[in-house]
Amino acid sequence: MGRIFKIIGITVAAGLLLLVAGIVALVTLVDPNNYKSRIAEVVQQHTGRTVEFTGDISLSFFPWLGLEVEGMRIGNPESFGGGDFVSLKGAGVHLKLMPLLKREVEVSTITVNGLALNLVRNADGSANWNFAPATVQAPPAEGTPPSAPMDGDGFADSSKAAPLAALLVESVSVTDASVRYTDHTAKTEYSARNLSFTTSAISPGKPVDIALKTDFSSTAPALEANLDLGLTLHIAHDFTRAGVQNMRLALDAKGDTLPGGALSLRQQGNVDCDLMTQICAISDFSLSAYETSVNTSGSLNLAEGPAYTGQMSIAGALRKTMAALGTQVETADPKALENLSVAFGLATSPASIELSGIKGRLDDTDFSGDLRIRQFARPDIKAALNVSALNLNRYLPPEPAAGKTPPPAPAPAPKESQPAQQGIPPETRQALRSLLLDASLAVGSLTVQKVTLTDITVKATAKDGLIRVNPLSASLFDGRVDADMTADLRSATTRSALSYAVKNVQLDPLTTTLAGERRASGTAAAASSLTAEGETWPAIRSTLNGNGSFAVTDGAIYGFQIIPEGARSHLAGTNADRVDEATRRQTFERLSASYVARAGRITNNDLALVSPNLNGEGAGIVDLPRDKIDYKATIRVTGLPPLPVTVTGTLANPRYGFDASAFLQNTLKGVQNLLPIPGLSGGGNGSQDSGTQQANPLEQLGKGLQQMFKK
């Protein structure tokens, strides 16, 4: 038995000696540079491309089987403009021999320097990366051993080969590379320059550090960019898990097609995926661009859509963000739109998106709420938003600087060139019919211009084309406004309804706020219920129906000329103190009216003003389809004849007048009632009692007028 082992040992030693001797002889006696032309010939035979070695080729055999090329190029066919398809300044790879005996592959650093790849697609659709052999290979001679089995792409079928026991690549280093792609069909060109790609050791089941840097440019869209990417890639040995850790991406780009003409993007985060369930855990993921950052952590299910569930937060300076996007925003308050922050739970799927537990802050306004959208093809929206206090004045355009006037508004187009009003487009109507909506809004305080509304409540619903806003409520000027609005799009013609009620609104703060001075006081109430059909103003005004009323009680009017100027001129020097007092401050117990609308014709018959010294009544119509006003009112000042007032014209240009003729008739009626003048008295036949002395008619008329207009 010992003799057998001795013979085997001698045989193995001799074999190894012969192998080493062969390797030494091969390295010493064989120069691979002598085979450049043969290699070029074989490559051209199989690819149809010319090959040129511009540097030396070197081989090493022990302990590493190595190949190094100092320079080479492969040409393009003339149909692609000639030049190089690919070229490189140098490349090298070394493979350990002994581990190959155990089906283990150990590779040292794979280096590629100065790679230049030129990809071209011609206008006819042909591409230079499709290689065609220069000659057709003859079929193998009879009796030739069969080659290794091939797959569908003409490569050796790896499924028939024995699996590798281990694989180790110490590192990969690609430096000073460039890739250019020219597409003559689309007339575009893309290129990556100064490209570098490096890795740490590569081995199944072990994490690999990867770094990629390049400068990128394109012609469509016109773009210049710089990319810097770093990450750690981990793939499980059994390929059941894969993950990216410590991902860091920096992208800086410039181009006219980018918002604001430039982009500076930074991203980082971690992703760990179960390849069996296709569920990925995302942690510490952040993305920042245009002065805004987005952060999220959650679970991404690739098997269901994809679907994402997690937490997300957004923070940024809106003013700076909009400026970076190329939009300059000017507001009355230069500090508005400075800060925005919002956080929420996020759940998405191919058919829905939900934001839950929304909490955020815009400048000094807090808000919270929820949002859910399902069935994007037929949107089903449910939303709720609560706002603490919002001053919209801060976000309005700034007032013109002192001494400057705002630019004049453009002149309206001539009537003949103005297009006819159009209703809701059919596609919009169909979209509204398919909308499902349940949305609510609550605002603690809202300031617009000089008006502050509190306790605002709005709820909007929509289903099958029936859209309703109810309630629409707010408190203002110590009172309350409640409204209910409906738009019914279920039929070919839109039917709308509006009802509202105003209660206990105080006119003193209202007029002082809006007019800047005290104009009126009192408690106002109003109510109305209206319906109409159509979507344009001509259609709505001709179908307006309903009724309404208003009343102001325990009020006063300040600095308002109740008696028209025409009447004042007729009353000059008569009862002047009382008239002046009425124009300075006129108290009243009640001012009320009601109206009825029928087919756009609004009728009022009961306007009433009740006051200790001044009363009034009025009646008339406002014809909306004909754009016509015909209204008459009578003002009664104690001790004066009734003062008739008229309102005529159009809604845009009403005309207010004093009916002097009616005033004279009222005056004569007053005289007739006071004086027993023959021919003027409404009763009697002009005869006098035989025992009464007949007075002078002119004297009686003078006394009567003096009594009417006494000071």
Side-chain angles (χ1 to χ4, degrees):
M1 181 66 70
R3 181 179 178 85
I4 293 175
F5 283 115
K6 184 175 181 180
I7 293 173
I8 292 174
I10 294 173
T11 303
V12 171
L16 291 175
L17 181 61
L18 290 174
L19 178 61
V20 172
I23 291 174
V24 172
L26 183 62
V27 174
T28 304
L29 301 176
V30 177
D31 185 359
N33 292 288
N34 295 332
Y35 296 90
K36 288 180 180 179
S37 58
R38 177 55 182 161
I39 295 173
E41 180 182 340
V42 172
V43 173
Q44 184 173 14
Q45 180 182 357
H46 286 80
T47 66
R49 309 295 176 90
T50 60
V51 178
E52 179 183 354
F53 292 94
T54 59
D56 291 338
I57 302 175
S58 60
L59 296 174
S60 62
F61 291 91
F62 195 81
W64 298 88
L65 176 62
L67 171 66
E68 293 184 3
V69 179
E70 294 185 0
M72 67 167 292
R73 54 175 294 274
I74 299 177
N76 256 332
E78 292 299 325
S79 59
F80 291 93
D84 292 342
F85 168 68
V86 64
S87 65
L88 56 84
K89 297 177 182 178
V93 61
H94 294 81
L95 182 68
K96 269 190 177 181
L97 283 175
M98 298 308 293
L100 292 177
L101 300 177
K102 299 181 291 183
R103 297 197 304 274
E104 295 178 356
V105 177
E106 293 186 21
V107 182
S108 67
T109 301
I110 300 174
T111 60
V112 179
N113 180 37
L115 172 69
L117 179 61
N118 181 27
L119 304 174
V120 179
R121 183 182 292 278
N122 278 338
D124 60 4
S126 59
N128 71 338
W129 56 87
N130 292 327
F131 295 94
T135 59
V136 179
Q137 294 184 355
E142 186 175 343
T144 303
S147 59
M150 300 292 180
D151 61 15
D153 296 323
F155 295 95
D157 190 350
S158 58
S159 64
K160 309 296 184 182
L164 292 175
L167 171 66
L168 173 63
V169 179
E170 288 188 356
S171 64
V172 176
S173 175
V174 179
T175 58
D176 193 24
S178 64
V179 179
R180 182 176 66 181
Y181 171 65
T182 304
D183 189 342
H184 293 291
T185 61
K187 298 181 180 180
T188 57
E189 181 174 302
Y190 306 92
S191 66
R193 308 174 307 278
N194 302 321
L195 189 152
S196 66
F197 176 79
T198 60
T199 73
S200 62
I202 300 174
S203 179
K206 303 294 184 181
V208 181
D209 295 330
I210 298 174
L212 171 66
K213 293 182 179 181
T214 187
D215 297 326
F216 175 82
S217 65
S218 68
T219 58
L223 188 70
E224 294 284 342
N226 174 266
L227 174 70
D228 187 351
L229 172 66
L231 56 88
T232 299
L233 176 66
H234 180 225
I235 300 177
H237 191 276
D238 57 2
F239 298 101
T240 59
R241 301 193 69 86
V244 174
Q245 304 295 320
N246 304 318
M247 182 177 179
R248 300 173 304 280
L249 171 65
L251 175 64
D252 297 293
K254 294 182 179 180
D256 294 338
T257 58
L258 293 172
L263 168 66
S264 180
L265 182 146
R266 300 293 182 269
Q267 183 272 322
Q268 62 183 22
N270 307 301
V271 180
D272 184 25
C273 297
D274 185 328
L275 301 181
M276 304 303 293
T277 62
Q278 300 186 54
I279 296 177
C280 300
I282 298 175
S283 61
D284 301 325
F285 184 93
S286 67
L287 177 68
S288 62
Y290 296 114
E291 304 293 336
T292 298
S293 63
V294 179
N295 298 272
T296 186
S297 293
S299 176
L300 177 64
N301 190 331
L302 298 174
E304 297 182 359
Y308 182 76
T309 304
Q311 295 292 319
M312 180 173 288
S313 63
I314 303 172
L318 281 183
R319 184 181 297 273
K320 293 181 179 179
T321 297
M322 299 181 76
L325 292 171
T327 302
Q328 297 294 332
V329 179
E330 294 185 357
T331 55
D333 183 355
K335 294 184 178 180
L337 300 176
E338 282 292 326
N339 297 295
L340 170 67
S341 61
V342 59
F344 48 86
L346 177 64
T348 68
S349 72
S352 67
I353 180 171
E354 182 174 355
L355 281 64
S356 59
I358 300 172
K359 291 186 177 181
R361 185 177 181 87
L362 172 62
D363 296 329
D364 56 359
T365 298
D366 295 319
F367 59 89
S368 61
D370 300 280
L371 172 65
R372 186 209 68 204
I373 304 176
R374 295 176 180 171
Q375 304 173 11
F376 298 119
R378 188 176 187 269
D380 178 0
I381 303 173
K382 185 177 180 63
L385 179 62
N386 301 299
V387 180
S388 60
L390 179 61
N391 185 353
L392 285 181
N393 296 331
R394 300 181 60 191
Y395 305 94
L396 297 177
E399 296 290 337
K404 294 184 178 181
T405 58
K415 290 186 178 181
E416 59 270 17
S417 64
Q418 292 181 352
Q421 294 186 23
Q422 301 293 324
I424 301 175
E427 58 274 12
T428 303
R429 176 182 290 275
Q430 184 58 39
L432 291 174
R433 286 176 175 174
S434 63
L435 175 65
L436 291 172
L437 175 67
D438 183 359
S440 62
L441 170 67
V443 182
S445 173
L446 176 65
T447 300
V448 184
Q449 296 293 351
K450 299 178 181 179
V451 179
T452 297
L453 295 85
T454 59
D455 299 328
I456 301 171
T457 302
V458 182
K459 183 176 179 61
T461 59
K463 184 178 181 181
D464 299 328
L466 180 61
I467 303 172
R468 186 177 185 185
V469 179
N470 179 49
L472 174 57
S473 305
S475 297
L476 70 165
F477 301 113
D478 301 326
R480 186 75 178 171
V481 177
D482 297 286
D484 182 357
M485 297 185 296
T486 301
D488 190 345
L489 286 75
R490 292 176 293 184
S491 60
T493 301
T494 299
R495 295 182 173 87
S496 303
L498 168 65
S499 62
Y500 65 85
V502 179
K503 300 178 181 178
N504 301 320
V505 172
Q506 301 303 307
L507 295 185
D508 195 343
L510 186 152
T511 58
T512 302
T513 299
L514 297 181
E517 60 181 350
R518 195 180 192 189
R519 292 286 183 87
S521 63
T523 301
S528 186
S529 179
L530 300 170
T531 62
E533 296 183 4
E535 298 147 12
T536 64
W537 172 237
I540 292 173
R541 70 187 180 188
S542 62
T543 59
L544 183 67
N545 293 289
N547 57 71
S549 64
F550 76 90
V552 180
T553 57
D554 300 325
I557 300 176
Y558 305 90
F560 181 76
Q561 187 171 307
I562 296 178
I563 303 176
E565 186 62 35
R568 286 173 54 83
S569 63
H570 283 76
L571 300 175
T574 61
N575 213 6
D577 290 341
R578 190 170 299 168
V579 173
D580 289 342
E581 174 67 18
T583 60
R584 291 194 300 270
R585 178 179 181 273
Q586 176 61 53
T587 61
F588 59 88
E589 296 175 0
R590 181 180 181 84
L591 173 63
S592 62
S594 64
Y595 63 87
V596 175
R598 292 290 181 269
R601 182 183 173 93
I602 302 174
T603 303
N604 161 249
N605 294 315
D606 60 355
L607 175 66
L609 173 63
V610 180
S611 170
N613 299 317
L614 186 148
N615 295 281
E617 63 270 354
I621 61 99
V622 176
D623 195 329
L624 296 180
R626 298 171 59 190
D627 193 18
K628 178 183 177 181
I629 302 175
D630 185 4
Y631 200 87
K632 295 180 180 180
T634 301
I635 301 174
R636 303 180 185 278
V637 180
T638 303
L640 296 179
L643 306 177
V645 178
T646 62
V647 184
T648 59
T650 65
L651 291 174
N653 296 292
R655 295 192 300 270
Y656 303 93
F658 170 70
D659 192 340
S661 175
F663 173 71
L664 180 58
Q665 292 180 8
N666 292 336
T667 302
L668 293 177
K669 287 181 180 179
V671 172
Q672 180 180 2
N673 294 331
L674 290 173
L675 302 178
I677 301 175
L680 292 178
S681 175
N685 53 13
S687 64
Q688 299 292 329
D689 185 24
S690 58
T692 304
Q693 182 180 2
Q694 187 172 3
N696 187 333
L698 294 178
E699 182 179 354
Q700 288 285 78
L701 177 61
K703 290 181 179 180
L705 291 174
Q706 183 179 10
Q707 182 178 351
M708 287 184 62
F709 299 110
K710 66 180 180 179
K711 299 180 181 180

